[in-house]
Each structure stands twice: as structure tokens, then as C-alpha cells.
Amino acid sequence: MADVLGSLGYTQDLPDDLSELDDFQLLSNALRNERNTQDILEYKHDLVERVQRRLQEQADRVDTWKEAGKNQYDEVDMSLPILCSTLNVNRFRFLLKAYWRARLQKIERFATLILDKQELQRNCSPQELAHCLQYFVAVGKCMKEVVLARLPEEFQTLVQESQLTETRDMIPAPRLDRCVFIKLLKDAGHVAVDAEGTQLVDMKAGDVYIIQYALVQRLVQQDIAVLI
Amino acid sequence: MAPTASLFEYVASKLDEPPLTPEELEFMAEHEKVTIVPNFTLNLPNSMLTCIEGTYGPFRPNIPVEVPMYLALALNRRNKCRIQPPAWMAREKLKAVLDEERTIPQYFQPVPQYYVETAKMLFAEARAIFGTNAEVNEIMDLVEELKKVRNSKILDGLRKVSGPITVKLNNLSASESNKIRLLFENSLNMWHQLAKNNKEWQEIQMTGTMDTPATL
């Protein structure tokens, strides 16, 4: 394996704490994973619910402080807690929205594939599935009216190139063989780095590689590594 | 053989752009912890601030406390605290890392993941924390030197890449990997594609049948 840029076994002096990640880091890891690959990843139900719940608690707390500030006559200056909490809330709202937006973009792009495959549907949340169906129906209808109805009979399908081909070959699928930057959060043991599975590399926590996504898909799904 | 492009692809696919913009990297960098010395007492029980990801505190005058960067900068803007320079930005430490970086051309030295963004934010908003003007300029120059040396190392390494390989790039910071991301990933993708085409061509040669070019 070409060790062009890399080191072997060089320990980091300034470790980012790789084991104890707080919610912000977990959510930003999830966002980076979604952005860096076309694969439909598992929806982080627990994380998102926990963050939403705490967001609500924090927002309520800020509201009570603001009310207290208006009603009381004595000077209890809550401006600093209000400021800090509002900053915090805004940052998390941005992260959540970016996460959802990244997922929705991918789901819209591969809507036909998702509606076809069960295991991809398992990776989406119920709201995302509903959106996927509605999107497919709406865009499909638009395509049919604008373009397909004016084509000859055999070419009027959305998912096949023509009625003459047997398989549905016009369904876009995510490209899993594109290269990604990956960072290991935990030791991952030996991982094959080429398609035949001949060359193995011992991956340690804290390593950064650029590698085809398909070879490390399992690591990302199990949260052993994050795409940066 | 790649499936024919569907109408959905035309509608939904985006152009090639970096997955993470530099602004978003700065947003992530704002979560890094720095030590500050507040000059106020927080009006909350135990002077602890509860945030969604955890609690920070206690905020009492002249007692150092660790907070995320965005909080430190917001308080600094309102003159409520003094930010302490991070340990890795001490002049001696920077000089040592720079020397190591220059002498060992194959490896990258360990640096904080977001050192570029952190340095930029601190120099923009909190120059005074490093000392006099001369000292601030010295540290700014050292960080610039570090960026340049690492950059040239990256470019040297990129020139050596000549095929669809996996590369190990420890200690690369977030902004540096973003800079080379499009070039590096797309070149590797193209190499993989060419290697795959090569293999298919060879297999067809070996079996002896030549399919018409239209199906290749």
C-alpha cells in the first residue's frame, strides 16, 4: 500500500476525545456522514429525539427567564444566561435542520429506489417515507404530463428505458464506490483496502484514510468511523 | 454497465461541490473548548450553565473555566471574560511543531483538528490575549508558516499519487482535507473507473468473444 502521505503508528499528542462524544459532536458526525456519501444511512432516531426534547426544555427555560425579567421590579439580571442559552439553541437548531435537509435531498434523489427496496425504507423515519412517496407521486405526475404523454407508447414509462427492456433500468442508485475521507473512532482491526479483498490494513483509532466508500460502509454504519 | 440516467437524476442531482463548506467547518470549530477567566458570577444555581450537550461552569470571577469557543467569543465581545490562549498556540510549542514538520517530510505532526479556524477566530476577535503587538504578530507568522509547510507537504504527496490506491493521512486537519477533497476524491474515482474498464476489457479479450462496442 502506498504510504505516500501517511505515517504508521504515530500517536497523537493532542487527542480529540475519541470515546466520549457529546450530543453536538454526535449530531455533527451524523451530518458529515450524510453529506459525504450518497448511501442512505440509518436515521438516528434516539439522537434526534433526545436533542429535540432538550431543545424544547432549553427554549422553555429561556422563555421563563424572559417572563421573569419583564414581571419583576427587582434587578435580577438574566441577560447572560438568556444569551448563552439562545446561542446554544440556535446552534442545535441549525445542526438538526442541516441533518434533515441533507437526508431529504438524498431521499428525493433516490425516491424510486427507496420505494422499491425494503432495507432502505427501514433506514428512513416515517415522516421521510411519507415525503418520499408524495414527492415521487408529484414529480412522476409532472413528468408524465409534461414529457412522457407526448412520447410514443413504448417509451412512456418512468422507470424503464422503454417497454422493450425487461428490467427497470432507469432507477438511479447511489454510487457506493466513490472515495471518501474516513476517520476511525475506534480500532477496527483488519480491513480490506482493495476490491478483491487481498490487501488488509490494520486500522487504529484516530487514523485518517481516503478509501472507497463500499469498503468501509460497515464501519460507518456501526459508528466505528466517521466520514470527514 | 451504469444504468441509463433517469429523469429523476436530472431533477435531483447537484453539481460537484464540497460536502462541507468552509463556513460549516468554522461552525464545527466553534465547538472546540477553550479556557476563559470570567469576571462575573452567573445568576444560576451553582453558577452552572446548562446547555443541550452538557453543563459548563461554575462561572465565578477569576476562576478559569472551560467553555466552547462560540461562548468564549460571545462573552469576550461583551467584555465579560478573558480568553486564555490555547496550549498549542504557545510560541515555543509552535516553533517545536514547525521544526518537526520541516525535518520529517513523510508524516504530518499532530495538530488540533480545527487549528486553522481556531487561529483565525482568535486572531480576528481576541488579538490581545497573546500579549503585545509584536508577540501577536510573531504567533500569527508562526501559524502561517505551519500552514504553508503542511500545504507544500500535501501537494508533494499528491504529485506522487499515480493510481487507485488507498492513502493514510493521519493528523490532517479539517480545512486541509476540505481543500484537497474534490481533487483527490474525484481523481481516485476516475482511476478506479479506468481500472474497472481495463479489467472488463481484459476479461473480454481472454474469453475471446468480442461484443459489439455499443454494449461496452
Side-chain angles (χ1 to χ4, degrees), chain A residues 72 200 208 210 214:
Chain A
Q72 286 182 342
L200 296 174
V208 175
I210 181 165

PDB file of all heavy atoms in Angstrom, chain A residues 72 200 208 210 214:
ATOM      1  N   GLN A  72     -40.787  41.159  37.120  1.00  0.00           N
ATOM      2  CA  GLN A  72     -40.286  41.583  38.431  1.00  0.00           C
ATOM      3  C   GLN A  72     -39.758  43.001  38.404  1.00  0.00           C
ATOM      4  O   GLN A  72     -39.276  43.473  37.381  1.00  0.00           O
ATOM      5  CB  GLN A  72     -39.175  40.634  38.871  1.00  0.00           C
ATOM      6  CG  GLN A  72     -39.708  39.302  39.305  1.00  0.00           C
ATOM      7  CD  GLN A  72     -38.593  38.415  39.771  1.00  0.00           C
ATOM      8  OE1 GLN A  72     -37.446  38.667  39.468  1.00  0.00           O
ATOM      9  NE2 GLN A  72     -38.935  37.379  40.498  1.00  0.00           N
ATOM     10  N   LEU A 200      -4.881  -6.240   3.306  1.00  0.00           N
ATOM     11  CA  LEU A 200      -5.542  -5.887   4.557  1.00  0.00           C
ATOM     12  C   LEU A 200      -4.735  -4.830   5.281  1.00  0.00           C
ATOM     13  O   LEU A 200      -3.518  -4.849   5.251  1.00  0.00           O
ATOM     14  CB  LEU A 200      -5.680  -7.118   5.452  1.00  0.00           C
ATOM     15  CG  LEU A 200      -6.568  -8.225   4.913  1.00  0.00           C
ATOM     16  CD1 LEU A 200      -6.494  -9.423   5.833  1.00  0.00           C
ATOM     17  CD2 LEU A 200      -8.003  -7.757   4.831  1.00  0.00           C
ATOM     18  N   VAL A 208      -6.719   8.452   9.685  1.00  0.00           N
ATOM     19  CA  VAL A 208      -7.493   9.077   8.627  1.00  0.00           C
ATOM     20  C   VAL A 208      -7.085   8.428   7.307  1.00  0.00           C
ATOM     21  O   VAL A 208      -5.906   8.321   7.008  1.00  0.00           O
ATOM     22  CB  VAL A 208      -7.208  10.592   8.574  1.00  0.00           C
ATOM     23  CG1 VAL A 208      -7.919  11.215   7.393  1.00  0.00           C
ATOM     24  CG2 VAL A 208      -7.653  11.252   9.845  1.00  0.00           C
ATOM     25  N   ILE A 210      -8.157   7.845   2.931  1.00  0.00           N
ATOM     26  CA  ILE A 210      -9.053   8.120   1.812  1.00  0.00           C
ATOM     27  C   ILE A 210      -9.210   6.798   1.071  1.00  0.00           C
ATOM     28  O   ILE A 210      -8.235   6.167   0.685  1.00  0.00           O
ATOM     29  CB  ILE A 210      -8.526   9.259   0.920  1.00  0.00           C
ATOM     30  CG1 ILE A 210      -9.503   9.518  -0.212  1.00  0.00           C
ATOM     31  CG2 ILE A 210      -7.152   8.972   0.378  1.00  0.00           C
ATOM     32  CD1 ILE A 210      -9.258  10.813  -0.920  1.00  0.00           C
ATOM     33  N   ALA A 214     -17.459   1.822  -0.386  1.00  0.00           N
ATOM     34  CA  ALA A 214     -18.016   0.477  -0.242  1.00  0.00           C
ATOM     35  C   ALA A 214     -17.182  -0.376   0.698  1.00  0.00           C
ATOM     36  O   ALA A 214     -17.710  -1.242   1.404  1.00  0.00           O
ATOM     37  CB  ALA A 214     -18.106  -0.186  -1.617  1.00  0.00           C
TER      38      ALA A 214
END
